[in-house]
Amino acid sequence: MRRAGPVMAAPGESLRRRKAGAGGPEPEAPPGRERDLKGRPARLRAGTFWLTRIVLLRALAFVYFVAFLVAFHQNKQLIGDRGLLPCRAYLQSVQRHFGGRVSWDALSYAPTVLWLLDWSHMDANLDTLALLGLGISSFILVSGCANMVLMAALWVLYMSLVNVGQIWYSFGWESQLLETGFLGIFLCPLWTLSVLPRGTPTSQVVVWGFRWLIFRIMLGAGLIKIRGDRCWRDLTCMDFHYETQPVPNPVAYFLHRSPWWFHRFETLSNHFLELVVPFFIFLGRRMCIIHGALQVLFQVVLIISGNLSFLNWLTIVPSLACFDDATLGGLFPSGPGRLKDQVLKIQEEEAQGARAPRTRGCVARGMVNLALGVLVAWLSIPVVLNLLSPRQVMNSSFNPLRIVNTYGAFGSITRERTEVILQGTASANASAPDAAWEDYEFKCKPGDPRRRPCLVSPYHHRLDWLMWFAAFQTYEHNEWIIHLAGKLLANDAQALSLLARNPFEGRDPPRWVRGEHYRYKFSRPGGRHAAEGKWWIRRRLGPYFPPLSRQDLRGYFTSREWPYPEPE
């Protein structure tokens, strides 16, 4: 149906006008939204990062939310007042090392706001930090907007936990989250809370900071493999990885039985993605987009095939900086007033030469971004030298704030899986042949051969991971496991909350607790053990630590200033 004008022209006259104008120039488009030849709204132009910032902030806020959720659920049991490694004792030891006072040296050695708080209620302090982090990250995740103050608060809160977390926070992704979070501070305006802060376009320095981060993460992981375990060079590592990774999931059970040629393909693909693809970042926009897409896909595959905490979710975050507004536009709905429409208007205004007046704030912002670039470049010098070194180290930091770090993963692959199984007995004589030993079950790590492997990513069961590492060593290298045994002897409710099953629930505590060393292997799908409902086949190797009673541990606890556990 045609729209009628003030005067209806005769058909013939209208036809003559159209023919006469057929060879002439096209009339200029009216001011406002440009449209393509089919009448659709014009696509977003490349080179701006308004939508990219929203995606980056929400992705980073999601990882922060998970990290603070893990902290809220587990910190009291691990580093609280009665935790396995109390952070109060750790801070006191740092204080004694630096002369018995809270000096600048102590603060720089372990930067944390806990230095400023009352240590007599450490559980409450830890919960407060975690809850503040949960609240701020939830707001950013839902709203998609933040300012420098909120992002800096998240960074300070998590750094305060990492620097007192001791071995429980010794994983590489803790430093990776701090570096990613530090860059996230400079994505935002200082005070303004707006999804599209018109006066603060996303800085190219910050975008390249994220790209530099993902480049180092992937290249570091690739180089540590090539320089490390021989199986990465002879392409056999994936024959073992699914079965021996820290916390396998159900998909890993089936992937482990893939054909040999598929495992070789997996290993070659890993080398390509970690050693070749990172350089795509520097080869122009299209290759950078391809890099981002391949790395996101790679991380999704890793998420599906294992429970690697929030590591892979976090690694996706800097990969998103490879995509500009034109690339991410399809993720946002179209329509008047929508974010995509607002960004298009901003782009059109900039194309017509309309720019915001240069204020003192803009000048200051430019100076801050320049300083950020110089800082990252300066701190990257030892990191680059480490990448080039044949003695490369992974997951290390060269500064106390962990702003620029080294990364890597699975430089060596274990060929066999061993597990420490904690057992308790109510028997008066631990050596009696008829003593009935009952297993404690952990949340996620293998135990009962009939229990299906868990699926918890991005959540992180810190104790389960440390039990995996402890199986490679002796209990003398892991004093916390003896502390855990003492708490089990008292049926300590706080410690037991980290476990999935207490065989002495509703009963008197065990008289003895011991650690047994087992070798675990996946059962064969469709085989005899699988038909019996077993996901795992296990064989006892020997004792990990001998049977212990509460009385045996009194002196051990006293010498380490740990609270002696009393039965509950």
Side-chain angles (χ1 to χ4, degrees):
M1 178 176 174
R2 294 178 297 178
R3 183 179 57 185
V7 179
M8 180 69 73
E13 183 181 354
S14 175
L15 181 60
R16 285 193 298 272
R17 287 179 181 175
R18 288 199 296 271
K19 288 182 178 179
E26 290 287 337
E28 293 186 5
R33 177 98 27 82
E34 295 181 6
R35 305 182 78 85
D36 63 17
L37 295 176
K38 295 183 179 180
R40 296 175 300 200
R43 297 181 61 185
L44 293 168
R45 295 187 180 90
T48 63
F49 297 90
W50 300 96
L51 299 179
T52 307
R53 170 164 51 194
I54 297 170
V55 176
L56 274 169
L57 285 175
R58 280 188 161 145
L60 180 54
F62 171 75
V63 178
Y64 264 133
F65 179 85
V66 173
F68 282 113
L69 184 66
V70 172
F72 182 67
H73 284 166
Q74 302 177 32
N75 273 356
K76 294 186 291 296
Q77 300 92 316
L78 299 176
I79 60 174
D81 291 317
R82 299 179 62 84
L84 297 178
L85 291 174
C87 65
R88 182 198 294 116
Y90 173 74
L91 289 174
Q92 288 170 343
S93 68
V94 173
Q95 192 174 5
R96 287 193 298 268
H97 179 76
F98 291 104
R101 56 192 178 89
V102 183
S103 62
W104 175 254
D105 290 334
L107 286 170
S108 60
Y109 181 82
T112 173
V113 298
L114 290 175
W115 288 113
L116 310 175
L117 303 179
D118 180 9
W119 293 359
S120 61
H121 299 92
M122 197 60 82
D123 283 357
N125 294 340
L126 294 171
D127 277 351
T128 299
L129 298 185
L131 288 172
L132 283 173
L134 282 170
I136 297 172
S137 58
S138 298
F139 170 79
I140 298 171
L141 179 60
V142 172
S143 67
C145 66
N147 56 30
M148 295 183 75
V149 175
L150 292 179
M151 295 304 294
L154 286 175
W155 182 70
V156 170
L157 289 169
Y158 200 66
M159 180 176 62
S160 295
L161 296 177
V162 170
N163 285 322
V164 298
Q166 305 160 81
I167 193 172
W168 310 109
Y169 282 79
S170 61
F171 304 99
W173 51 80
E174 316 294 356
S175 295
Q176 186 176 327
L177 178 52
L178 287 175
E179 181 172 351
T180 309
F182 182 78
L183 290 171
I185 296 171
F186 300 91
L187 273 175
C188 313
L190 178 59
W191 297 108
T192 306
L193 275 176
S194 172
V195 179
L196 293 174
R198 296 288 296 268
T200 313
T202 309
S203 167
Q204 290 279 352
V205 172
V206 180
V207 169
W208 277 100
F210 280 114
R211 292 176 180 178
W212 175 235
L213 172 57
I214 187 61
F215 174 82
R216 289 184 289 109
I217 290 171
M218 302 313 299
L219 186 62
L223 289 175
I224 202 70
K225 291 180 175 68
I226 290 297
R227 292 167 174 160
D229 202 318
R230 182 177 178 179
C231 70
W232 287 114
R233 298 189 293 276
D234 62 25
L235 308 183
T236 58
C237 273
M238 297 308 293
D239 294 348
F240 313 100
H241 167 72
Y242 293 116
E243 183 176 75
T244 62
Q245 64 178 307
V247 184
N249 68 11
V251 178
Y253 173 81
F254 295 100
L255 286 175
H256 178 64
R257 298 297 180 181
S258 300
W260 68 268
W261 56 265
F262 183 75
H263 288 318
R264 304 299 179 272
F265 169 75
E266 287 178 307
T267 312
L268 280 172
S269 299
N270 184 94
H271 292 332
F272 175 70
L273 288 163
E274 293 183 341
L275 294 170
V276 178
V277 172
F279 292 93
F280 289 7
I281 288 176
F282 308 107
L283 301 180
R285 176 177 176 268
R286 288 188 178 181
M287 295 301 288
C288 187
I289 292 172
I290 292 173
H291 168 274
L294 288 175
Q295 297 301 359
V296 170
L297 179 62
F298 183 36
Q299 300 308 314
V300 170
V301 170
L302 295 177
I303 290 168
I304 293 171
S305 62
N307 291 302
L308 299 178
S309 180
F310 51 79
L311 170 62
N312 307 118
W313 301 79
L314 176 59
T315 305
I316 288 174
V317 176
S319 303
L320 298 173
C322 295
F323 308 127
D324 57 15
D325 291 338
T327 310
L328 295 177
L331 300 178
F332 291 81
S334 302
R338 296 294 187 100
L339 286 173
K340 190 173 178 180
D341 181 69
Q342 295 178 48
V343 172
L344 188 55
K345 288 180 179 177
I346 294 173
Q347 291 183 342
E348 289 175 356
E349 291 173 4
E350 291 178 350
Q352 294 169 7
R355 294 187 179 274
R358 193 163 181 79
T359 63
R360 291 181 182 178
C362 293
V363 175
R365 182 82 182 185
M367 295 296 292
V368 169
N369 289 332
L370 177 61
L372 173 65
V374 172
L375 176 65
V376 171
W378 174 256
L379 295 177
S380 294
I381 293 174
V383 174
V384 172
L385 293 176
N386 177 68
L387 281 174
L388 299 176
S389 171
R391 297 182 178 180
Q392 174 193 1
V393 295
M394 66 180 190
N395 299 328
S396 299
S397 179
F398 298 98
N399 60 88
L401 298 181
R402 311 190 192 210
I403 296 174
V404 180
N405 313 289
T406 68
Y407 301 105
F410 295 107
S412 61
I413 297 292
T414 54
R415 306 308 195 269
E416 294 181 338
R417 179 178 201 94
T418 57
E419 293 286 348
V420 177
I421 304 299
L422 300 184
Q423 299 175 333
T425 182
S427 174
N429 183 1
S431 302
D434 60 347
W437 291 93
E438 301 178 73
D439 291 1
Y440 288 88
E441 286 293 329
F442 285 73
K443 297 279 190 181
C444 216
K445 90 175 193 68
D448 180 358
R450 288 181 167 80
R451 191 176 68 162
R452 177 179 61 83
C454 67
L455 186 62
V456 294
S457 178
Y459 195 80
H460 183 201
H461 291 294
R462 296 187 182 276
L463 178 60
D464 293 53
W465 270 73
L466 265 294
M467 290 294 292
W468 180 74
F469 284 106
F472 304 146
Q473 304 164 328
T474 64
Y475 71 88
E476 290 91 347
H477 293 96
N478 300 277
E479 291 187 340
W480 54 267
I481 201 169
I482 303 300
H483 197 174
L484 175 61
K487 289 179 174 292
L488 298 183
L489 285 165
N491 264 356
D492 184 85
Q494 190 176 71
L496 286 167
S497 68
L498 295 172
L499 275 58
R501 175 178 174 268
N502 171 22
F504 297 90
E505 184 176 3
R507 299 158 51 189
D508 290 336
R511 294 187 179 185
W512 303 87
V513 166
R514 70 181 183 183
E516 292 287 280
H517 212 181
Y518 280 84
R519 177 175 296 149
Y520 274 67
K521 295 184 68 174
F522 275 140
S523 65
R524 181 175 296 277
R528 175 172 61 86
H529 295 93
E532 296 173 356
K534 294 181 179 179
W535 293 79
W536 297 97
I537 304 169
R538 75 178 188 179
R539 181 170 65 86
R540 184 179 181 272
L541 299 176
Y544 184 78
F545 63 80
L548 300 170
S549 67
R550 285 179 60 246
Q551 188 61 36
D552 294 334
L553 294 176
R554 184 180 293 276
Y556 193 87
F557 275 57
T558 302
S559 66
R560 288 155 180 79
E561 299 181 355
W562 292 341
Y564 187 65
E566 296 293 341
E568 296 190 359

